[in-house]
Amino acid sequence: MLGRVVVGRERISSVVARLAEELESDLEGRSPVFIGVLKGCVYFFTDLTMSIKTPVEVDFIQVSSYGASTTSSGTVVLVKDITVDVRDRDVYLVEDIVDTGSTLADILHLIRARHPRSVQIVALLSKPSRREIEIEVDFLGFEIDDLFVVGYGLDFAEQYRNLPDIHEYLPDREPPV
Ligand code: IMP
């Protein structure tokens, strides 16, 4: 069941603008490739990269996610690989939300094996209380409590991605027997 708005449109826009500014000053002298982690990143990724004036290359990677559950299965499978050669490039990995950290840990492993010059992480949301693997987020939008959220790209069972605000999602209760 869709719950209250956790982060509204206006706050999302101002955070995207702040992150774009931080990134802009980091880009000087670099050879940037922005890699979005599909599908949750799409709205954040397009808003963010369009707010950056420096030309950047873009690409996408997709790994398996939660399916129709609100907890991670802990198994990450590569669904779509990048097509850009990242050797000696400065990679910015753009993720919607960092939860346990296992998805990003696996993706980092994969990207680092292709010898980029640097890899930095950009995430809109982070749930630090849920972290199981230490991940350093270089550019972070918001920290949130241990809530399951949907909207602005985030889904529950592929639903709710196109909501303009970020809402809490409350699992339906089993009916009493
Ligand atoms: P992690 O591997 O546990 O860090 O999970 C990261 C991925 O799980 C994210 O890219 C999302 O696809 C998904 N995820 C984690 N928390 C949420 C949430 O609250 N709402 C929707 N998807 C989530």
Side-chain angles (χ1 to χ4, degrees):
M1 190 180 77
L2 197 60
R4 72 190 164 95
V5 171
V6 178
V7 190
R9 267 273 9 120
E10 278 184 25
R11 205 161 152 229
I12 294 172
S13 299
S14 68
V15 158
V16 170
R18 193 249 299 158
L19 287 174
E21 220 171 282
E22 286 175 21
L23 283 157
E24 195 86 64
S25 44
D26 192 72
L27 288 174
E28 215 184 300
R30 292 199 193 257
S31 172
V33 185
F34 277 62
I35 298 178
V37 182
L38 293 171
K39 301 176 191 171
C41 78
V42 285
Y43 300 91
F44 174 49
F45 187 89
T46 50
D47 282 350
L48 183 71
T49 51
M50 282 194 297
S51 305
I52 294 170
K53 289 172 201 76
T54 307
V56 298
E57 230 172 282
V58 301
D59 202 353
F60 297 95
I61 193 165
Q62 186 174 5
V63 294
S64 66
S65 62
Y66 287 165
S69 157
T70 56
T71 51
S72 174
S73 65
T75 315
V76 165
V77 176
L78 184 64
V79 176
K80 187 224 167 284
D81 203 351
I82 51 170
T83 54
V84 158
D85 181 3
V86 294
R87 181 176 286 270
D88 298 328
R89 306 292 303 273
D90 297 295
V91 171
Y92 294 82
L93 261 183
V94 182
E95 173 72 301
D96 51 359
I97 188 163
V98 189
D99 186 17
T100 63
S102 80
T103 305
L104 269 182
D106 283 8
I107 294 174
L108 275 172
H109 186 72
L110 226 132
I111 300 289
R112 286 196 175 122
R114 282 103 186 254
H115 310 288
R117 185 163 71 181
S118 67
V119 186
Q120 296 194 85
I121 292 173
V122 186
L124 179 63
L125 298 164
S126 172
K127 294 189 225 175
S129 65
R130 297 251 316 149
R131 203 75 87 247
E132 288 170 14
I133 298 173
E134 199 56 50
I135 290 283
E136 196 188 324
V137 180
D138 302 280
F139 301 90
L140 176 66
F142 308 92
E143 283 189 351
I144 60 166
D145 295 334
D146 182 8
L147 307 171
F148 196 84
V149 287
V150 293
Y152 195 60
L154 293 148
D155 74 309
F156 173 71
E158 294 300 328
Q159 301 298 304
Y160 308 111
R161 287 196 199 275
N162 63 324
L163 290 173
D165 303 299
I166 297 172
H167 294 249
E168 182 172 9
Y169 179 80
L170 307 159
D172 294 325
R173 284 183 201 281
E174 291 289 319
V177 191

